Amino acid sequence: MTTYSTTLSVNGIPYSLAFDASRNLLSVIRNEVGLTGTKEGCDDCECGACMVLLDGHPVNSCSYLAAQATGKEITTVEGLSSGDELHPIQRQLLDAGGVQCGFCTPGMIMSTDALLRRTPEPTDEDIRIGLSGNLCRCTGYAKIMEAVKATAVELSGS
Amino acid sequence: MTSITIPTSLRDVLEALAGGARPIAGGTDLVVSSRQGKAPLPEALVAIDQVAELSEVKTGTDGLMIGAMVTHARLMTEELLVESYTAVADAAALVGSPSTRNVGTIGGNVMNGSPAMDTGAPLVVLGAEVELRSTSGSRRVSLADLWTGPGRTSAAPDELCVAVHLPLRPVRSGSAYVRLEYRRAMEIAVVGAAASVSLAEDGTIAAVAVALTAVAPTILAVPDLDALVGLDPTVAAQRVAPAASATATPISDLRASDTYRRHTIGVMATRAVEAAARRASGETIAVPVNRALGIGAAR
């Protein structure tokens, strides 16, 4: 009896699932729910590519047991865009050249979303701390910083 | 093969532990270790994160109680801690990244028993006791009695850490935690030091405690600091450095040599005492001290 049966709420949709109790949230989101926007980078809780929001708070899904997400609202990068229309963070990242290989991008987006909900007008230091759990090996971060600042202006202005 | 139960009552958790299950809180140590292949997940897990009383922070006549499930994100912002037990907030704010701090807990931290844990030295200088509970009763132990080696504690397998208790603070007291680090996030202390200082009315040292991170098999208090009582805090801060270095028995690893650790632990101890004394005198130094005073890694 090692299979755990539960319902997980991902992007507002309930999924009835059964999986081994040792499975992490990342593998269940990708392989059982079928949403592959969330990435497996280091699988070691270091890089932030697997970041999702649990009840609005960023969490590394690689080191979080899927069973423990029962009863919590899980938000993945797929939950931010509406249909074919990109979320402002996604659009600003593209406009600023903050996406190169793109592997860190979903995690960066989730951290940014959580940051801007809590701190709509962040300082540079707020942004650095907010994104401190997300590694990018391509961009050098400057363009990502630009994109976050532009998103903050866009969202707080509207 | 692993099974998990997720009870909402403490009694059910304790019964699961009595039946051989192992507790899991945020998973930041347990799950990461299993995925790195260091230690497989236990066969039976009991999640403790749905037990509401374990997430409480409460003041009482004998001080502050912090429930075992209180996260680092909350420790660094909780007013009761930032005001009176500031070193704990300093340490919590340095742990990992926002995503680590959202799930990592004080109970998990303490029971994981790492000699490099940031919140450990602050708890030692503040005189913390850990409350352990099982189906057969409850007891409080000091951290010195709890930690027996790297990753080892004196708790029985069926005992759960339910809370950390911090005694009331004396008047004119302050505390601080600083660490040497090579980067600002997702970092482990190269060495770290916490200090608690109480000042006499004339501004001299009335009481001082210092504890050291990542320089011995467990976090250690610096012994015999009574000679610092009555001194000006600036003088005391300088004198604590050789005492800290003499207490340290560090290892060499890829992060630092033993010689470097033995030297820098003295520097960190001095800075911790300086910051704690400034706070004790009424000055506000923002959490974490590392950022407020530019200690540790540059941007």
Side-chain angles (χ1 to χ4, degrees), chain A residues 2 4 21 24 43-45 51 58 60 62-63 67-68 72 125 128-129 132-133, chain B residues 2 4 6 24-25 27 31-32 35-36 49-50 97-99 102 184-186 299:
Chain A
T2 59
Y4 192 80
N24 62 14
D43 199 18
D44 192 18
C45 209
M51 206 167 282
N60 288 322
C62 75
S63 64
Q68 288 183 278
K72 298 185 166 82
E125 180 71 0
R128 286 197 174 90
I129 292 172
S132 62
Chain B
T2 296
I4 189 168
I6 310 180
I24 182 166
V31 180
V32 172
R35 301 193 67 74
Q36 289 173 336
D49 58 316
Q50 294 302 310
S97 69
S99 53
N102 283 333
R184 293 175 58 166
M186 300 309 294
R299 184 170 286 162

PDB file of all heavy atoms in Angstrom, chain A residues 2 4 21 24 43-45 51 58 60 62-63 67-68 72 125 128-129 132-133, chain B residues 2 4 6 24-25 27 31-32 35-36 49-50 97-99 102 184-186 299:
ATOM      1  N   THR A   2       1.473   1.554  -1.138  1.00  0.00           N
ATOM      2  CA  THR A   2       2.292   2.754  -1.179  1.00  0.00           C
ATOM      3  C   THR A   2       1.697   3.801  -2.105  1.00  0.00           C
ATOM      4  O   THR A   2       2.196   4.908  -2.179  1.00  0.00           O
ATOM      5  CB  THR A   2       3.719   2.435  -1.660  1.00  0.00           C
ATOM      6  OG1 THR A   2       3.626   1.850  -2.946  1.00  0.00           O
ATOM      7  CG2 THR A   2       4.419   1.499  -0.709  1.00  0.00           C
ATOM      8  N   TYR A   4      -0.656   6.650  -3.217  1.00  0.00           N
ATOM      9  CA  TYR A   4      -1.399   7.688  -2.509  1.00  0.00           C
ATOM     10  C   TYR A   4      -2.438   8.259  -3.457  1.00  0.00           C
ATOM     11  O   TYR A   4      -2.104   8.707  -4.559  1.00  0.00           O
ATOM     12  CB  TYR A   4      -0.434   8.781  -2.041  1.00  0.00           C
ATOM     13  CG  TYR A   4      -1.062   9.748  -1.070  1.00  0.00           C
ATOM     14  CD1 TYR A   4      -1.194   9.409   0.271  1.00  0.00           C
ATOM     15  CD2 TYR A   4      -1.513  10.993  -1.493  1.00  0.00           C
ATOM     16  CE1 TYR A   4      -1.780  10.288   1.172  1.00  0.00           C
ATOM     17  CE2 TYR A   4      -2.092  11.875  -0.602  1.00  0.00           C
ATOM     18  CZ  TYR A   4      -2.226  11.515   0.727  1.00  0.00           C
ATOM     19  OH  TYR A   4      -2.798  12.379   1.619  1.00  0.00           O
ATOM     20  N   ALA A  21       3.793   7.455  -2.983  1.00  0.00           N
ATOM     21  CA  ALA A  21       3.907   8.508  -1.964  1.00  0.00           C
ATOM     22  C   ALA A  21       5.263   9.202  -1.982  1.00  0.00           C
ATOM     23  O   ALA A  21       5.403  10.308  -1.477  1.00  0.00           O
ATOM     24  CB  ALA A  21       3.648   7.921  -0.582  1.00  0.00           C
ATOM     25  N   ASN A  24       7.759  13.376  -6.097  1.00  0.00           N
ATOM     26  CA  ASN A  24       7.768  14.809  -5.833  1.00  0.00           C
ATOM     27  C   ASN A  24       6.705  15.507  -6.684  1.00  0.00           C
ATOM     28  O   ASN A  24       6.194  14.954  -7.668  1.00  0.00           O
ATOM     29  CB  ASN A  24       9.166  15.413  -6.016  1.00  0.00           C
ATOM     30  CG  ASN A  24       9.688  15.287  -7.425  1.00  0.00           C
ATOM     31  OD1 ASN A  24       8.941  14.985  -8.347  1.00  0.00           O
ATOM     32  ND2 ASN A  24      10.984  15.528  -7.598  1.00  0.00           N
ATOM     33  N   ASP A  43      17.265  19.290  -9.929  1.00  0.00           N
ATOM     34  CA  ASP A  43      16.603  18.274  -9.099  1.00  0.00           C
ATOM     35  C   ASP A  43      17.234  18.225  -7.711  1.00  0.00           C
ATOM     36  O   ASP A  43      17.310  17.182  -7.084  1.00  0.00           O
ATOM     37  CB  ASP A  43      16.680  16.893  -9.771  1.00  0.00           C
ATOM     38  CG  ASP A  43      15.622  15.936  -9.195  1.00  0.00           C
ATOM     39  OD1 ASP A  43      14.669  16.430  -8.574  1.00  0.00           O
ATOM     40  OD2 ASP A  43      15.774  14.727  -9.367  1.00  0.00           O
ATOM     41  N   ASP A  44      17.729  19.352  -7.241  1.00  0.00           N
ATOM     42  CA  ASP A  44      18.501  19.392  -5.998  1.00  0.00           C
ATOM     43  C   ASP A  44      18.149  20.639  -5.181  1.00  0.00           C
ATOM     44  O   ASP A  44      18.895  21.043  -4.300  1.00  0.00           O
ATOM     45  CB  ASP A  44      19.994  19.387  -6.384  1.00  0.00           C
ATOM     46  CG  ASP A  44      20.892  19.125  -5.201  1.00  0.00           C
ATOM     47  OD1 ASP A  44      20.396  18.624  -4.184  1.00  0.00           O
ATOM     48  OD2 ASP A  44      22.097  19.441  -5.304  1.00  0.00           O
ATOM     49  N   CYS A  45      17.038  21.287  -5.523  1.00  0.00           N
ATOM     50  CA  CYS A  45      16.572  22.440  -4.758  1.00  0.00           C
ATOM     51  C   CYS A  45      17.531  23.629  -4.835  1.00  0.00           C
ATOM     52  O   CYS A  45      17.624  24.408  -3.908  1.00  0.00           O
ATOM     53  CB  CYS A  45      16.352  22.043  -3.296  1.00  0.00           C
ATOM     54  SG  CYS A  45      15.071  22.999  -2.476  1.00  0.00           S
ATOM     55  N   MET A  51      10.095  25.836 -10.057  1.00  0.00           N
ATOM     56  CA  MET A  51       9.303  26.613  -9.102  1.00  0.00           C
ATOM     57  C   MET A  51       7.826  26.699  -9.496  1.00  0.00           C
ATOM     58  O   MET A  51       7.487  26.981 -10.638  1.00  0.00           O
ATOM     59  CB  MET A  51       9.893  28.015  -8.967  1.00  0.00           C
ATOM     60  CG  MET A  51       9.588  28.654  -7.634  1.00  0.00           C
ATOM     61  SD  MET A  51      10.611  30.106  -7.421  1.00  0.00           S
ATOM     62  CE  MET A  51      12.168  29.338  -6.971  1.00  0.00           C
ATOM     63  N   PRO A  58       6.110  30.912  -3.655  1.00  0.00           N
ATOM     64  CA  PRO A  58       7.020  30.099  -4.472  1.00  0.00           C
ATOM     65  C   PRO A  58       7.585  28.913  -3.680  1.00  0.00           C
ATOM     66  O   PRO A  58       7.997  29.070  -2.531  1.00  0.00           O
ATOM     67  CB  PRO A  58       8.158  31.067  -4.826  1.00  0.00           C
ATOM     68  CG  PRO A  58       7.667  32.425  -4.518  1.00  0.00           C
ATOM     69  CD  PRO A  58       6.600  32.291  -3.491  1.00  0.00           C
ATOM     70  N   ASN A  60       9.993  25.148  -4.470  1.00  0.00           N
ATOM     71  CA  ASN A  60      10.681  24.279  -5.426  1.00  0.00           C
ATOM     72  C   ASN A  60       9.963  22.930  -5.446  1.00  0.00           C
ATOM     73  O   ASN A  60      10.023  22.171  -4.485  1.00  0.00           O
ATOM     74  CB  ASN A  60      12.154  24.083  -5.026  1.00  0.00           C
ATOM     75  CG  ASN A  60      12.966  25.336  -5.262  1.00  0.00           C
ATOM     76  OD1 ASN A  60      12.767  26.048  -6.241  1.00  0.00           O
ATOM     77  ND2 ASN A  60      13.885  25.630  -4.362  1.00  0.00           N
ATOM     78  N   CYS A  62      10.620  20.247  -6.942  1.00  0.00           N
ATOM     79  CA  CYS A  62      11.459  19.045  -6.989  1.00  0.00           C
ATOM     80  C   CYS A  62      11.685  18.466  -5.605  1.00  0.00           C
ATOM     81  O   CYS A  62      11.967  17.288  -5.464  1.00  0.00           O
ATOM     82  CB  CYS A  62      12.801  19.327  -7.651  1.00  0.00           C
ATOM     83  SG  CYS A  62      13.960  20.257  -6.616  1.00  0.00           S
ATOM     84  N   SER A  63      11.602  19.304  -4.578  1.00  0.00           N
ATOM     85  CA  SER A  63      11.919  18.822  -3.240  1.00  0.00           C
ATOM     86  C   SER A  63      10.695  18.867  -2.343  1.00  0.00           C
ATOM     87  O   SER A  63      10.807  18.931  -1.131  1.00  0.00           O
ATOM     88  CB  SER A  63      13.051  19.652  -2.628  1.00  0.00           C
ATOM     89  OG  SER A  63      12.633  20.976  -2.471  1.00  0.00           O
ATOM     90  N   ALA A  67       2.141  14.512  -2.348  1.00  0.00           N
ATOM     91  CA  ALA A  67       1.039  14.227  -1.416  1.00  0.00           C
ATOM     92  C   ALA A  67       0.769  15.423  -0.510  1.00  0.00           C
ATOM     93  O   ALA A  67      -0.384  15.710  -0.164  1.00  0.00           O
ATOM     94  CB  ALA A  67       1.373  12.991  -0.577  1.00  0.00           C
ATOM     95  N   GLN A  68       1.831  16.134  -0.126  1.00  0.00           N
ATOM     96  CA  GLN A  68       1.670  17.255   0.804  1.00  0.00           C
ATOM     97  C   GLN A  68       1.040  18.489   0.145  1.00  0.00           C
ATOM     98  O   GLN A  68       0.732  19.459   0.837  1.00  0.00           O
ATOM     99  CB  GLN A  68       3.024  17.627   1.429  1.00  0.00           C
ATOM    100  CG  GLN A  68       3.518  16.589   2.444  1.00  0.00           C
ATOM    101  CD  GLN A  68       4.818  17.012   3.091  1.00  0.00           C
ATOM    102  OE1 GLN A  68       5.886  16.816   2.526  1.00  0.00           O
ATOM    103  NE2 GLN A  68       4.753  17.600   4.275  1.00  0.00           N
ATOM    104  N   LYS A  72      -3.938  22.349  -1.168  1.00  0.00           N
ATOM    105  CA  LYS A  72      -3.339  23.648  -1.479  1.00  0.00           C
ATOM    106  C   LYS A  72      -3.588  23.973  -2.951  1.00  0.00           C
ATOM    107  O   LYS A  72      -3.741  23.072  -3.778  1.00  0.00           O
ATOM    108  CB  LYS A  72      -1.823  23.606  -1.222  1.00  0.00           C
ATOM    109  CG  LYS A  72      -1.448  23.323   0.236  1.00  0.00           C
ATOM    110  CD  LYS A  72       0.061  23.420   0.428  1.00  0.00           C
ATOM    111  CE  LYS A  72       0.425  23.493   1.902  1.00  0.00           C
ATOM    112  NZ  LYS A  72       0.459  22.177   2.552  1.00  0.00           N
ATOM    113  N   GLU A 125      16.727  45.931  -5.035  1.00  0.00           N
ATOM    114  CA  GLU A 125      17.080  44.949  -4.007  1.00  0.00           C
ATOM    115  C   GLU A 125      15.927  43.958  -3.799  1.00  0.00           C
ATOM    116  O   GLU A 125      16.162  42.757  -3.654  1.00  0.00           O
ATOM    117  CB  GLU A 125      17.416  45.684  -2.698  1.00  0.00           C
ATOM    118  CG  GLU A 125      17.797  44.784  -1.540  1.00  0.00           C
ATOM    119  CD  GLU A 125      19.156  44.113  -1.690  1.00  0.00           C
ATOM    120  OE1 GLU A 125      19.851  44.338  -2.709  1.00  0.00           O
ATOM    121  OE2 GLU A 125      19.512  43.338  -0.783  1.00  0.00           O
ATOM    122  N   ARG A 128      16.127  41.522  -6.632  1.00  0.00           N
ATOM    123  CA  ARG A 128      17.244  40.578  -6.456  1.00  0.00           C
ATOM    124  C   ARG A 128      16.903  39.498  -5.442  1.00  0.00           C
ATOM    125  O   ARG A 128      17.194  38.325  -5.637  1.00  0.00           O
ATOM    126  CB  ARG A 128      18.505  41.326  -6.006  1.00  0.00           C
ATOM    127  CG  ARG A 128      19.146  42.120  -7.110  1.00  0.00           C
ATOM    128  CD  ARG A 128      20.576  42.493  -6.757  1.00  0.00           C
ATOM    129  NE  ARG A 128      21.204  43.137  -7.892  1.00  0.00           N
ATOM    130  CZ  ARG A 128      21.185  44.454  -8.113  1.00  0.00           C
ATOM    131  NH1 ARG A 128      20.598  45.245  -7.255  1.00  0.00           N
ATOM    132  NH2 ARG A 128      21.755  44.947  -9.189  1.00  0.00           N
ATOM    133  N   ILE A 129      16.289  39.915  -4.314  1.00  0.00           N
ATOM    134  CA  ILE A 129      15.930  38.922  -3.293  1.00  0.00           C
ATOM    135  C   ILE A 129      14.810  38.020  -3.817  1.00  0.00           C
ATOM    136  O   ILE A 129      14.860  36.804  -3.670  1.00  0.00           O
ATOM    137  CB  ILE A 129      15.516  39.620  -1.972  1.00  0.00           C
ATOM    138  CG1 ILE A 129      16.740  40.307  -1.348  1.00  0.00           C
ATOM    139  CG2 ILE A 129      14.903  38.624  -0.992  1.00  0.00           C
ATOM    140  CD1 ILE A 129      16.431  41.193  -0.153  1.00  0.00           C
ATOM    141  N   SER A 132      16.179  35.457  -6.064  1.00  0.00           N
ATOM    142  CA  SER A 132      17.466  34.884  -5.641  1.00  0.00           C
ATOM    143  C   SER A 132      17.487  33.366  -5.687  1.00  0.00           C
ATOM    144  O   SER A 132      18.552  32.767  -5.619  1.00  0.00           O
ATOM    145  CB  SER A 132      17.836  35.391  -4.234  1.00  0.00           C
ATOM    146  OG  SER A 132      16.863  34.973  -3.299  1.00  0.00           O
ATOM    147  N   GLY A 133      16.345  32.734  -5.811  1.00  0.00           N
ATOM    148  CA  GLY A 133      16.319  31.272  -5.911  1.00  0.00           C
ATOM    149  C   GLY A 133      16.234  30.767  -7.331  1.00  0.00           C
ATOM    150  O   GLY A 133      15.988  29.588  -7.554  1.00  0.00           O
TER     151      GLY A 133
ATOM    152  N   THR B   2       7.497   3.906  -0.351  1.00  0.00           N
ATOM    153  CA  THR B   2       7.209   4.795   0.772  1.00  0.00           C
ATOM    154  C   THR B   2       5.703   4.974   0.888  1.00  0.00           C
ATOM    155  O   THR B   2       5.012   5.073  -0.121  1.00  0.00           O
ATOM    156  CB  THR B   2       7.874   6.163   0.522  1.00  0.00           C
ATOM    157  OG1 THR B   2       9.283   5.989   0.487  1.00  0.00           O
ATOM    158  CG2 THR B   2       7.515   7.158   1.605  1.00  0.00           C
ATOM    159  N   ILE B   4       2.701   7.377   3.068  1.00  0.00           N
ATOM    160  CA  ILE B   4       2.599   8.633   3.824  1.00  0.00           C
ATOM    161  C   ILE B   4       1.196   8.786   4.390  1.00  0.00           C
ATOM    162  O   ILE B   4       0.212   8.416   3.733  1.00  0.00           O
ATOM    163  CB  ILE B   4       2.976   9.849   2.942  1.00  0.00           C
ATOM    164  CG1 ILE B   4       3.094  11.123   3.793  1.00  0.00           C
ATOM    165  CG2 ILE B   4       1.981  10.038   1.804  1.00  0.00           C
ATOM    166  CD1 ILE B   4       3.741  12.280   3.064  1.00  0.00           C
ATOM    167  N   ILE B   6      -1.166  11.939   6.376  1.00  0.00           N
ATOM    168  CA  ILE B   6      -1.154  13.392   6.600  1.00  0.00           C
ATOM    169  C   ILE B   6      -2.242  13.732   7.607  1.00  0.00           C
ATOM    170  O   ILE B   6      -3.318  14.199   7.250  1.00  0.00           O
ATOM    171  CB  ILE B   6      -1.354  14.166   5.271  1.00  0.00           C
ATOM    172  CG1 ILE B   6      -0.377  13.639   4.209  1.00  0.00           C
ATOM    173  CG2 ILE B   6      -1.173  15.665   5.492  1.00  0.00           C
ATOM    174  CD1 ILE B   6      -0.466  14.325   2.856  1.00  0.00           C
ATOM    175  N   ILE B  24       7.840  14.236   8.426  1.00  0.00           N
ATOM    176  CA  ILE B  24       8.304  15.142   7.370  1.00  0.00           C
ATOM    177  C   ILE B  24       7.572  16.463   7.521  1.00  0.00           C
ATOM    178  O   ILE B  24       6.349  16.483   7.738  1.00  0.00           O
ATOM    179  CB  ILE B  24       8.114  14.544   5.949  1.00  0.00           C
ATOM    180  CG1 ILE B  24       8.652  15.507   4.901  1.00  0.00           C
ATOM    181  CG2 ILE B  24       6.659  14.156   5.661  1.00  0.00           C
ATOM    182  CD1 ILE B  24       8.837  14.898   3.516  1.00  0.00           C
ATOM    183  N   ALA B  25       8.328  17.563   7.445  1.00  0.00           N
ATOM    184  CA  ALA B  25       7.727  18.894   7.525  1.00  0.00           C
ATOM    185  C   ALA B  25       7.739  19.478   6.114  1.00  0.00           C
ATOM    186  O   ALA B  25       6.946  19.081   5.274  1.00  0.00           O
ATOM    187  CB  ALA B  25       8.491  19.749   8.530  1.00  0.00           C
ATOM    188  N   GLY B  27      10.223  19.182   3.874  1.00  0.00           N
ATOM    189  CA  GLY B  27      10.882  18.278   2.931  1.00  0.00           C
ATOM    190  C   GLY B  27      12.203  18.775   2.376  1.00  0.00           C
ATOM    191  O   GLY B  27      12.841  18.075   1.582  1.00  0.00           O
ATOM    192  N   VAL B  31      13.642  15.291   1.406  1.00  0.00           N
ATOM    193  CA  VAL B  31      13.382  14.964   0.002  1.00  0.00           C
ATOM    194  C   VAL B  31      14.634  15.203  -0.836  1.00  0.00           C
ATOM    195  O   VAL B  31      14.979  14.403  -1.708  1.00  0.00           O
ATOM    196  CB  VAL B  31      12.179  15.768  -0.543  1.00  0.00           C
ATOM    197  CG1 VAL B  31      11.923  15.427  -2.002  1.00  0.00           C
ATOM    198  CG2 VAL B  31      10.934  15.479   0.288  1.00  0.00           C
ATOM    199  N   VAL B  32      15.350  16.301  -0.541  1.00  0.00           N
ATOM    200  CA  VAL B  32      16.570  16.587  -1.312  1.00  0.00           C
ATOM    201  C   VAL B  32      17.593  15.474  -1.091  1.00  0.00           C
ATOM    202  O   VAL B  32      18.196  14.971  -2.040  1.00  0.00           O
ATOM    203  CB  VAL B  32      17.147  17.966  -0.938  1.00  0.00           C
ATOM    204  CG1 VAL B  32      18.506  18.170  -1.594  1.00  0.00           C
ATOM    205  CG2 VAL B  32      16.195  19.066  -1.370  1.00  0.00           C
ATOM    206  N   ARG B  35      16.720  12.423  -3.078  1.00  0.00           N
ATOM    207  CA  ARG B  35      16.902  12.567  -4.525  1.00  0.00           C
ATOM    208  C   ARG B  35      18.377  12.610  -4.886  1.00  0.00           C
ATOM    209  O   ARG B  35      18.762  12.249  -5.985  1.00  0.00           O
ATOM    210  CB  ARG B  35      16.149  13.796  -5.034  1.00  0.00           C
ATOM    211  CG  ARG B  35      14.662  13.675  -4.732  1.00  0.00           C
ATOM    212  CD  ARG B  35      13.834  14.668  -5.462  1.00  0.00           C
ATOM    213  NE  ARG B  35      13.820  14.435  -6.895  1.00  0.00           N
ATOM    214  CZ  ARG B  35      13.154  13.470  -7.492  1.00  0.00           C
ATOM    215  NH1 ARG B  35      12.448  12.615  -6.797  1.00  0.00           N
ATOM    216  NH2 ARG B  35      13.194  13.350  -8.808  1.00  0.00           N
ATOM    217  N   GLN B  36      19.210  13.064  -3.934  1.00  0.00           N
ATOM    218  CA  GLN B  36      20.654  13.018  -4.187  1.00  0.00           C
ATOM    219  C   GLN B  36      21.219  11.629  -3.944  1.00  0.00           C
ATOM    220  O   GLN B  36      22.390  11.386  -4.195  1.00  0.00           O
ATOM    221  CB  GLN B  36      21.385  13.997  -3.240  1.00  0.00           C
ATOM    222  CG  GLN B  36      21.163  15.451  -3.581  1.00  0.00           C
ATOM    223  CD  GLN B  36      21.768  16.362  -2.520  1.00  0.00           C
ATOM    224  OE1 GLN B  36      21.946  15.969  -1.364  1.00  0.00           O
ATOM    225  NE2 GLN B  36      22.097  17.578  -2.909  1.00  0.00           N
ATOM    226  N   ASP B  49       2.605  18.901   8.582  1.00  0.00           N
ATOM    227  CA  ASP B  49       2.287  20.277   8.219  1.00  0.00           C
ATOM    228  C   ASP B  49       0.810  20.633   8.309  1.00  0.00           C
ATOM    229  O   ASP B  49       0.443  21.797   8.216  1.00  0.00           O
ATOM    230  CB  ASP B  49       2.836  20.600   6.814  1.00  0.00           C
ATOM    231  CG  ASP B  49       2.289  19.678   5.748  1.00  0.00           C
ATOM    232  OD1 ASP B  49       2.236  18.455   5.992  1.00  0.00           O
ATOM    233  OD2 ASP B  49       1.905  20.164   4.673  1.00  0.00           O
ATOM    234  N   GLN B  50      -0.062  19.639   8.491  1.00  0.00           N
ATOM    235  CA  GLN B  50      -1.496  19.958   8.591  1.00  0.00           C
ATOM    236  C   GLN B  50      -1.976  20.043  10.046  1.00  0.00           C
ATOM    237  O   GLN B  50      -3.175  20.198  10.299  1.00  0.00           O
ATOM    238  CB  GLN B  50      -2.321  18.923   7.823  1.00  0.00           C
ATOM    239  CG  GLN B  50      -2.083  18.952   6.317  1.00  0.00           C
ATOM    240  CD  GLN B  50      -2.380  20.315   5.709  1.00  0.00           C
ATOM    241  OE1 GLN B  50      -3.436  20.889   5.955  1.00  0.00           O
ATOM    242  NE2 GLN B  50      -1.447  20.850   4.944  1.00  0.00           N
ATOM    243  N   SER B  97      16.614  30.577  -0.310  1.00  0.00           N
ATOM    244  CA  SER B  97      15.981  31.599  -1.160  1.00  0.00           C
ATOM    245  C   SER B  97      14.526  31.688  -0.698  1.00  0.00           C
ATOM    246  O   SER B  97      14.118  30.912   0.170  1.00  0.00           O
ATOM    247  CB  SER B  97      16.035  31.142  -2.620  1.00  0.00           C
ATOM    248  OG  SER B  97      15.166  30.034  -2.803  1.00  0.00           O
ATOM    249  N   PRO B  98      13.735  32.612  -1.274  1.00  0.00           N
ATOM    250  CA  PRO B  98      12.340  32.682  -0.826  1.00  0.00           C
ATOM    251  C   PRO B  98      11.628  31.324  -0.866  1.00  0.00           C
ATOM    252  O   PRO B  98      10.871  30.985   0.056  1.00  0.00           O
ATOM    253  CB  PRO B  98      11.708  33.673  -1.811  1.00  0.00           C
ATOM    254  CG  PRO B  98      12.838  34.589  -2.184  1.00  0.00           C
ATOM    255  CD  PRO B  98      14.067  33.696  -2.225  1.00  0.00           C
ATOM    256  N   SER B  99      11.903  30.533  -1.907  1.00  0.00           N
ATOM    257  CA  SER B  99      11.180  29.252  -2.023  1.00  0.00           C
ATOM    258  C   SER B  99      11.607  28.262  -0.942  1.00  0.00           C
ATOM    259  O   SER B  99      10.803  27.434  -0.510  1.00  0.00           O
ATOM    260  CB  SER B  99      11.366  28.650  -3.413  1.00  0.00           C
ATOM    261  OG  SER B  99      12.730  28.554  -3.736  1.00  0.00           O
ATOM    262  N   ASN B 102       9.962  29.462   2.356  1.00  0.00           N
ATOM    263  CA  ASN B 102       8.511  29.248   2.431  1.00  0.00           C
ATOM    264  C   ASN B 102       8.142  27.872   2.960  1.00  0.00           C
ATOM    265  O   ASN B 102       7.034  27.678   3.458  1.00  0.00           O
ATOM    266  CB  ASN B 102       7.871  29.433   1.052  1.00  0.00           C
ATOM    267  CG  ASN B 102       7.739  30.889   0.675  1.00  0.00           C
ATOM    268  OD1 ASN B 102       7.634  31.744   1.550  1.00  0.00           O
ATOM    269  ND2 ASN B 102       7.762  31.178  -0.615  1.00  0.00           N
ATOM    270  N   ARG B 184      25.089  35.361  -1.900  1.00  0.00           N
ATOM    271  CA  ARG B 184      24.042  35.865  -1.007  1.00  0.00           C
ATOM    272  C   ARG B 184      22.830  34.973  -0.921  1.00  0.00           C
ATOM    273  O   ARG B 184      21.995  35.167  -0.044  1.00  0.00           O
ATOM    274  CB  ARG B 184      23.628  37.264  -1.457  1.00  0.00           C
ATOM    275  CG  ARG B 184      24.757  38.259  -1.263  1.00  0.00           C
ATOM    276  CD  ARG B 184      24.405  39.615  -1.808  1.00  0.00           C
ATOM    277  NE  ARG B 184      23.205  40.135  -1.186  1.00  0.00           N
ATOM    278  CZ  ARG B 184      22.819  41.378  -1.270  1.00  0.00           C
ATOM    279  NH1 ARG B 184      23.544  42.261  -1.931  1.00  0.00           N
ATOM    280  NH2 ARG B 184      21.708  41.774  -0.693  1.00  0.00           N
ATOM    281  N   ALA B 185      22.674  34.020  -1.862  1.00  0.00           N
ATOM    282  CA  ALA B 185      21.484  33.173  -1.828  1.00  0.00           C
ATOM    283  C   ALA B 185      21.889  31.725  -2.033  1.00  0.00           C
ATOM    284  O   ALA B 185      22.956  31.449  -2.591  1.00  0.00           O
ATOM    285  CB  ALA B 185      20.499  33.594  -2.918  1.00  0.00           C
ATOM    286  N   MET B 186      21.034  30.818  -1.613  1.00  0.00           N
ATOM    287  CA  MET B 186      21.297  29.386  -1.738  1.00  0.00           C
ATOM    288  C   MET B 186      22.687  29.054  -1.229  1.00  0.00           C
ATOM    289  O   MET B 186      23.437  28.305  -1.835  1.00  0.00           O
ATOM    290  CB  MET B 186      21.142  28.923  -3.200  1.00  0.00           C
ATOM    291  CG  MET B 186      19.776  29.159  -3.783  1.00  0.00           C
ATOM    292  SD  MET B 186      18.422  28.534  -2.760  1.00  0.00           S
ATOM    293  CE  MET B 186      18.685  26.779  -2.825  1.00  0.00           C
ATOM    294  N   ARG B 299      27.139  42.139  -3.576  1.00  0.00           N
ATOM    295  CA  ARG B 299      26.031  41.904  -4.495  1.00  0.00           C
ATOM    296  C   ARG B 299      26.482  41.138  -5.732  1.00  0.00           C
ATOM    297  O   ARG B 299      27.438  41.315  -6.351  1.00  0.00           O
ATOM    298  CB  ARG B 299      25.448  43.246  -4.896  1.00  0.00           C
ATOM    299  CG  ARG B 299      24.243  43.132  -5.771  1.00  0.00           C
ATOM    300  CD  ARG B 299      23.596  44.487  -5.918  1.00  0.00           C
ATOM    301  NE  ARG B 299      22.893  44.840  -4.687  1.00  0.00           N
ATOM    302  CZ  ARG B 299      22.541  46.094  -4.398  1.00  0.00           C
ATOM    303  NH1 ARG B 299      22.891  47.079  -5.198  1.00  0.00           N
ATOM    304  NH2 ARG B 299      21.873  46.341  -3.292  1.00  0.00           N
TER     305      ARG B 299
END
